[in-house]
Amino acid sequence: MTIGKNLKFWNKRQGAKLRGAAQLATLALLGLSACSLENLVSTDGEPGRIDPEGMKTEEAAVALFYGAVQPFRLVFAGQYTTDGGIVRMTSMFTDEMMSGVTPDATSFPNAQTSEIYQFFTRRIPEDQTYRRVMQENIFRNLNLLRNQASDGINALVKYAPQQPRDLVGHLHSLKGWSLMWLAEIYCSGIPISEYLGGGGYEYLPGISSDSVYKLALIQFDSAMPYFKDSLKYKYLAMVGKSRVLLNRGEFAKAAEAVQTVPTDFVFKNPYNASGVSPSMIATVWSSNTSNPENTIGTVGDRKGINGLPFASSRDPRIPLVKHPTQHTSYSTVYKIPAWLFPTGSPWFGTSSRPHIAQEFVVTKGVVARLTEAEASINAGTNTWLTILNTLRTTGSFSGTKVDTVVSGTDTTFYLDTLWNAGTGGVVGLRPLTDPGNKNARIKLLYDERAYWMYFTGNRQADLRRLVRVYGIPQNQVYPTGPVSVEPFRTYGDDTNIPVPYTENAINPSYTGCINRDA
Amino acid sequence: MKTLKSLPFGLPAIAASLALGMVPSADAQEPYNSLYLQPVASLAQPGSEKTTGRTDVKRTANILDRRVDVSVVNSNLVDALQTIVESVDGKVSHTDDIKNYNKRVSFSKKGSSLKEAISTLLKGTGFEAYLVPPGEIVVRRSTGKESAQDTGSIRITVKDASNNKGLLGVSLEMKAANRALVTGDNGSVVFRGIPAGTYEVIARRIGFSTVRQEVKVVAGEVGSIEIRLPVMATSLTEVVTAGAAERAKLEVGTSIATIDVAEIMKTTPVSSVSQLLATHVPGITAIAGSGGVGSPTRIRIRGNTSIEGNNEPIYIIDGVRISNDVSTQQSNTIYAGVYGSSGMNDFAQRIDDIDPNMIESIEVLKGPTASTLYGSEAANGVIIIKTKRGKAGPTRWTIRADHRELIQSKNYAYGQRLSGYYPTGNAGINPTCNLTSITNGSCIPTGDILGFNMLQDDRFSPLGRGYTQSFGANVDGGVEKLQFSLSLNRTNQLGNAKLPDVNREYIENARGGKKLDNDIVRPNARNVNNASARINGIMTDNSDFSIQATFGQSYMRAGNNGMTGVLSEVRGPNDIAPVGGWTDWNGTRSQEVKKFTGVAVVNARPQWRGIALNGSGTFGLDFNLNDDVFYIPRGSCTPLCTSTSDRGVTGYVNAGRASDNVRTIRLVGGGAGSPVDFARIDMRFGMDYSKNNKWNLYGNASGLRLGQMFYAANTVGTIQDIGDARATAGWFYEPTVNIRNKLFLTVGLRADYGSALGDQVIPKYPKWNGSWIVSEETFFPESFRSFVDVFRVRFAYGQAGIMPTSNARVRTYSMSSGFVNDGDSPLTATGTYAQLTGPGNLWVRPERTKEYEGGFEIDFLNQKYGLDVTAFRKETKDAIQGSPLAGSIGAFVTYQSKRNVGHISNSGFEISGYALAIDNPNITYKLNANISRAANKLTKRDPGVVSFISLNASGDMYTGNQTLVVEGYPLFSRFAYELLGFSDVNGDGYIDLNEVRVGDSLVYVGSPQPKFSGGINHTIGLLNNKLMINANFLYTRGQTQFNAFNKSQKDNILAGQGVGSLQEQACYAASVANGNRRATDWCFFESTNTLRFEALGISFQVPQHLVKRMRAASARVSLNANNLAIWSNYSGVDPNVNTTQVNLNGMEAGAAFARPRELGFSFSVTF
């Protein structure tokens, strides 16, 4: 073995040449180590992670803008059948939609089914132990919209000064809408938790509905100075502000807020049929599509005594699609219940949104005139009747035309003949007459609101306002009495939806609803 | 004044330096008489007068101290010197060259001493002055060199008296010369520049008796002496890496387990690092995932302390941190199919790729008391692996080979069925007559039993004979100052899974006789290659270095659902028919890992002003490249399947590549000194940095092109890349006080920065410990001294942490591209939108574990017997868990936030002992035994933290059986709904689904980890230890397992003989949900007590005359066996393996593929 012999040179020569090398190296490295340890442990820019540092660009600011637009679309019309969005959830809760679900022993343990049943019957306990998917997701999405809007506002202001300022205003407006919806839908005692500027988040206790409305007003007022080129964005903010004022009983201010909003204004959320992303597809109301099994309700018709005859009135503002009973593709869970429509009776979908990918009306200028009418009634002036009748004879009816006949449906039931007859509006609606007293006028106005804004998420706010602002008992406003012919249950007395129970379980500052009254 | 030429040469003179540290030069032209040269220090230090006692020196000192009261302005140097010296009645002589110094000088410090005045005057002139007593000052040109004629050097080599090996880290103190050094790797150190004379050297090292020895330094020479330190009578002298530096175990107040791997490997059949840890360290639990080759093993030290963090200890090889896993998306996929897990974190651990033959020793720092200085990721302990290093001397070659057969148990209870008939219509046998079909009336049982145990028939059995083989070679050698070591190893393994012969024949016939590939027929296999090279060298007397590089490559294949397919066939409903499911066998899951670990270490031990210093730098890189492939070739199952939805028809690939690297820098400095006679302080400080970068690119596709692994353009599945980075960097210091070599007190602190900790969170981890050698005290009873060698008491406290995940604090976003039009956007209709994906939690803190530990060791009867007892308690606060976010923050329901949720406590004890019961040349018998208990529980849930028993991560209520973290119970406890009762209400003789009652709330069932574990190792030496027999037993108690086999068999309502009892029927009936009644596996949990005959090795040293014929130095042959027998109350096959791990930490058991029995032989030859 010669390796050892060959290494003997080391003994002779190494000492002089390497003397002190170790000391020098050690000293050098100790010096090197004196640099900031914080820099050594930095992992900024690691692959696959986008953190706040990576969002400080104009491009990222625009992406954040759309990151807020997305949940606005999502929360309004829903993403999946389990969400449903505000439109479907509030329609179930009010008289806009009737239950198409038979809660039986097999399906009842299923959280989704029981949740739907609870919504239809206005019985939503706070201490529910199963997560209500629709209630939970809409609450989360409203807050996601709120916080994403905040993020987007900060980014556009700081990093995208070249982008239109209308974008900033729009995000303030969307934040206002999210706060408004939170106050309209959920019980008083709403936690408005916040992402913090430096990172992290802070859980906050619940505040009253009115406090949330005040926060919404701040956002709408903050939005106004930014609007320059986009009147649609501006009108959306005006309508939002007006609606908040209305909810607070400030009728004159509400009318003032929308006086420049034209009657033919329409703000629609567009959706994409090709499903570029699932969040683009609103499945809120797919009865007219090829997935009728996703439909869990039918157009309401005198639901729970107080409900309006949306289906049977043949009002052109509620375009219908009549389905035969016992559709062959109905699943066992989502079948048409015999107690709702006796054998042989049709059930009704709405053609207000016949395409799954069709744009969906969020609000329209009609609501501005209706707000002015409401201010007039409350002020004791007479212009309200003129406003209502003008709308009935000349009002626009955008975005609801049925242009596709769904296979298997009874096309004879379409009411398009009424809609398209005449020019420039809806013809065939008889002029209204003054019922003679304020309460009756308000009832008449709110019926008009219900038809004009059917399936746009307004009905819950309207009914709740009747109870909260006008002091009408809830059992004279919301569906009440027996649940159709269903033998075991009656409608409950909820006028709002509790904050999801997970908030109680997770948010240490939250102690539950302050008030379940309207 | 006169020149030196005029001096009376030969006149006795004592010259002493006035210049700091300088003595007259040997290069001076004038030959001073070195006999009279006084050491510089004797003048510089007042105390020196007492040392010498010479009156002339005293006078000299007085002259030098006389006050000068003159001033010199702009004078030449000679005149200035003369003025100053003569002012104190002295004389000046000088060499002629001083006259050539032409700069003008000034001096005006009135009242200063002559010494100061001359020093000031000569500063920067290049001249130096000496005193020739009684009062003459001699000035000459300075040389800056010591005089070889005045001083000398001495090399001191310190050796262990018991084995004559050089001792590292011996403190050598030469007080009279004011010098101290520490020995290096080879035990040597050189004192240079020591004034000639005789000195006393004190040699100290913990674990050895202190030795005082006289050495003589001869001027101008380099002497050499050897000091032999006798070992203290204790087994605690081994050196361990306890913190900032290597120390003797005796000095450290914590329990540190050390495994002498090199010694164990001589006699014990060990195949992996996991096995070494499991069988030789009390307090460690190692639970295997399965009996398949390549199956991961989970190591826990003193139990789980983290809910969601990594409960594995960190691993350090030769000072460098390594990655123990290459956890990738694909790893989960690969392993999910292999071992039947749910796919979460069931990946391999890389330490089992390391060949145990390359390891010299392993140290286990069991918890924060010992691992504090490793910082924010060390709460679960540290396992320090030291590889073999070359030894000086002739080059030695060792070759070795090992072969073992892997034999699976065939004692699985096999499934049986109850035959029946349909009530109407279909005449004949209903092959699925079970409780459900009996309940719903679709099957009328006949009472006949159908059954077939395929394991007993080789043609039908999916279990074949496997093997594991390894071959290796080592070479090492070198000279005193440079040693080398090379090691090579290859391991081949074939698992037991086998495509049954009948199936293979059937498939091959269907394919026109085309033979199936071997990786289909034998889907489970693994091979590992390792190569390691190391060089150790000495650079200077006081510095050395080490460079090491290890290359590794491992390949593992598992087959498409290979192992789960086997399991399902053994236990499942197809058990009375040949193995079906061809789709289980037409693809391959494989994982290849390439690994490199490089380490460079530099050590220096200089001395400074009498203090022995230490400095070391360790630099390392551990790099892993991981390729995972799950591949089903197009057409691989045709013509047996034709559906285009079948992956075997259209082809499928799921592949990923991941890199994982860890960089380590560790710098340590320090020094040791004795400020007082009775105590010595050793201070270490340093900096430690490690960064782990992971990167993973993966994707999948179906619709592959024929014969290729490429996908068709329109069938691309998911392609993603993800990354993760973790880094910690901390300062630490660790002083140790040694009081009279009996009491050692250590304190330490590490302050950490971490990538996931943020700027404001800089945790500080303190520690303190003490070690008291009670038997060295004078009060220790004499009557005990006769048989007690050492009795030591130790106590310790320490903290360490677990860092949150890298994204825990950071707000993160995702970018998507899609439809973004909002109806009025001035921008595009499609584009990129950003969404918050994680809020980040700024307040999440690292988990902090503080640990208290105490214990004692006692060695007695000349170290033939020993006992080590330790009790510990760990308190972990701020346990981190991903918690669902409240809706008000706006995160999606599936997003989580890392939160500090509660406190966890671990407590237990470890007892180990040894006995050399028989010790004579013909026979020796040694017994090592240990037992430990480790229990943990979640002691406190923080306010506002959601109760884990009520909500899962998505905010849903838990249903069914769960592994949960619940306040008051062990982590990852088993919970199930209780079977409250049953009754044959309808009197048909069966308990059907309607006839059981199940509770509504989850009830604690047990802990998935054993409460007690232990081991017994017997070693018998015969024929002067030429024949060694080693037998090892392992014991576990209190581990709750889920017996999935049992449940499967209840599926057929039969248990062994005939129809099962009503109780057994009720157990199965309860496991099936029925209407609103929940399903529960209540009956199928078992608390197990197990004794396993883990290993038997018989090793024989080949007689010398035969060895010589081979021209070898030594040779050894061994017969090896592992997993020979199990004695357990568990009704399944192997209670100590797990396959259904729900996450990294929940070690629940399940339908386990038992560990195979290993039988084999090995040999090694050294040349």
Side-chain angles (χ1 to χ4, degrees), chain A residues 1-5 7-11 14-16 18-23 25-26 29-38 40-43 46-52 54-55 59-60 62-71 73-74 79 105-106 108-109 129-131 136-137 139-141 143-148 151 163-164 167 170 174 191-204 230-233 267-272 276-277 279-280 501-503 505-508, chain B residues 192 393 395 397 475 477-484 537-545 602-604 606 615-617 619 667-669 685 687 689 691 694-695 721-731 751 753-755 759 806-807 809-815 817-828 830 832-836 838-843 884-893 897-899 943-947 950-951 954-957 959 1075-1076 1078 1167:
Chain A
M1 306 303 168
T2 58
I3 295 176
K5 293 178 183 175
L7 289 175
K8 285 183 179 176
F9 77 93
W10 186 262
N11 278 338
Q14 52 78 32
L18 294 177
R19 184 181 301 276
Q23 289 91 332
T26 304
L29 290 163
L30 280 169
L32 180 67
S33 72
C35 68
S36 170
L37 295 185
E38 291 173 73
L40 283 176
V41 300
S42 170
T43 56
E46 74 176 62
R49 187 174 82 186
I50 306 173
D51 53 29
M55 300 298 288
E59 187 181 10
V62 173
L64 283 169
F65 170 78
Y66 285 123
V69 167
Q70 290 292 67
R73 191 200 321 266
L74 189 72
Q79 179 175 11
T106 303
F108 202 76
T129 52
Y130 284 94
R131 183 162 57 92
E136 175 90 33
N137 287 359
F139 184 74
R140 286 178 181 275
N141 285 334
N143 284 291
L144 177 66
L145 163 60
R146 185 172 56 80
N147 281 320
Q148 293 247 153
D151 232 11
Q163 292 292 329
L167 302 185
H170 189 48
L174 296 187
I192 307 295
S193 299
E194 295 286 353
Y195 284 93
L196 302 178
Y201 56 91
E202 183 178 17
Y203 284 136
L204 295 172
S230 174
L231 289 176
K232 279 194 175 181
Y233 282 172
F267 194 93
K268 295 171 288 190
N269 265 339
Y271 294 83
N272 189 315
V276 175
S277 165
S279 63
M280 312 307 164
Y501 80 102
T502 50
E503 191 71 28
I506 300 169
N507 179 350
Chain B
R192 295 186 184 280
T395 304
W397 292 83
V475 55
V479 293
E480 182 188 356
K481 292 194 174 182
L482 187 68
Q483 301 98 42
F484 69 95
I538 296 172
M539 290 184 290
T540 68
D541 294 330
N542 303 324
S543 62
D544 55 61
F545 72 96
V602 179
N603 294 305
S616 72
F619 313 92
L667 305 173
V668 182
F685 58 89
M687 166 267 192
Y689 166 70
K691 184 170 188 178
K694 292 175 186 285
W695 171 77
D721 68 336
I722 57 175
D724 186 34
R726 296 172 67 81
T728 60
W731 294 104
Y753 289 84
S755 58
D759 302 341
S806 57
N807 282 350
R809 296 173 49 85
V810 183
R811 184 173 300 170
T812 53
Y813 298 84
S814 65
M815 290 288 181
S817 182
F819 181 73
V820 294
N821 192 357
D822 72 342
D824 196 45
S825 171
L827 306 176
T828 57
T830 59
T832 300
Y833 58 95
Q835 288 192 306
L836 287 161
N841 181 359
L842 276 181
W843 295 274
L885 288 158
S888 61
I889 202 65
F892 285 128
V893 70
S897 171
K898 301 299 180 189
R899 293 183 63 187
V945 174
V946 61
S947 168
S950 62
L951 291 176
S954 297
D956 285 324
M957 281 288 295
T959 59
N1076 289 329
R1078 298 178 187 277
F1167 297 93

Side-chain angles (χ1 to χ4, degrees), chain B residues 201-228:
Chain B
V201 172
I202 306 170
R204 295 187 184 92
R205 193 183 191 290
I206 305 304
F208 294 82
S209 299
T210 298
V211 167
R212 294 167 183 266
Q213 188 164 322
E214 272 201 349
V215 298
K216 185 174 183 181
V217 178
V218 178
E221 294 182 9
V222 179
S224 177
I225 68 157
E226 183 175 298
I227 299 175
R228 296 163 68 86

Side-chain angles (χ1 to χ4, degrees), chain B residues 602-629:
Chain B
V602 179
N603 294 305
R605 291 168 299 278
Q607 74 97 34
W608 178 72
R609 295 196 175 186
I611 298 174
L613 302 178
N614 280 278
S616 72
T618 303
F619 313 92
L621 172 66
D622 180 60
F623 179 79
N624 299 273
L625 187 63
N626 187 44
D627 283 304
D628 295 305
V629 179

Side-chain angles (χ1 to χ4, degrees), chain A residues 238-239 241-247 249-261 365 367-379 381 383 387 449:
Chain A
M238 287 177 166
V239 171
K241 179 180 179 181
S242 166
R243 186 158 151 181
V244 171
L245 291 167
L246 214 55
N247 289 336
E250 300 180 74
F251 304 109
K253 287 184 179 176
E256 183 185 349
V258 290
Q259 63 181 352
T260 59
V261 176
V367 78
R369 304 292 84 79
L370 294 169
T371 303
E372 289 166 353
E374 188 167 359
S376 169
I377 295 171
N378 283 285
T381 63
T383 56
I387 293 171
R449 288 180 62 94

Side-chain angles (χ1 to χ4, degrees), chain B residues 265-268 1020-1022 1025-1030 1096-1102 1115-1120 1162 1164:
Chain B
M265 294 300 290
K266 289 178 182 175
T267 59
T268 308
I1020 300 171
L1022 300 171
N1025 284 341
K1026 287 185 171 59
L1027 177 64
M1028 302 290 290
I1029 301 170
N1030 188 284
L1096 175 65
I1098 301 172
S1099 170
F1100 182 64
Q1101 189 175 317
V1102 178
R1116 185 175 286 271
V1117 294
S1118 303
L1119 297 175
N1120 304 321
S1162 62
S1164 67

Side-chain angles (χ1 to χ4, degrees), chain B residues 1117-1137:
Chain B
V1117 294
S1118 303
L1119 297 175
N1120 304 321
N1122 281 93
N1123 192 32
L1124 280 171
I1126 294 178
W1127 296 273
S1128 175
N1129 62 346
Y1130 183 62
S1131 63
V1133 177
D1134 194 330
N1136 295 131
V1137 295

Side-chain angles (χ1 to χ4, degrees), chain B residues 445-487:
Chain B
T446 63
D448 295 327
I449 300 166
L450 303 175
F452 171 60
N453 188 347
M454 65 174 62
L455 298 177
Q456 301 297 335
D457 187 324
D458 286 344
R459 293 189 69 236
F460 287 85
S461 175
L463 297 176
R465 184 72 71 92
Y467 63 79
T468 178
Q469 297 171 332
S470 69
F471 312 92
N474 285 69
V475 55
D476 78 299
V479 293
E480 182 188 356
K481 292 194 174 182
L482 187 68
Q483 301 98 42
F484 69 95
S485 171
L486 297 169
S487 178

Side-chain angles (χ1 to χ4, degrees), chain B residues 195-272:
Chain B
T198 301
Y199 298 90
E200 181 189 65
V201 172
I202 306 170
R204 295 187 184 92
R205 193 183 191 290
I206 305 304
F208 294 82
S209 299
T210 298
V211 167
R212 294 167 183 266
Q213 188 164 322
E214 272 201 349
V215 298
K216 185 174 183 181
V217 178
V218 178
E221 294 182 9
V222 179
S224 177
I225 68 157
E226 183 175 298
I227 299 175
R228 296 163 68 86
L229 293 190
V231 181
M232 287 181 70
T234 175
S235 60
L236 302 173
T237 55
E238 58 193 319
V239 173
V240 294
T241 307
E246 292 191 325
R247 299 188 190 282
K249 203 172 178 180
L250 194 67
E251 186 182 358
V252 180
T254 60
S255 169
I256 298 173
T258 52
I259 308 172
D260 189 343
V261 182
E263 195 62 31
I264 289 171
M265 294 300 290
K266 289 178 182 175
T267 59
T268 308
V270 174
S271 57
S272 70

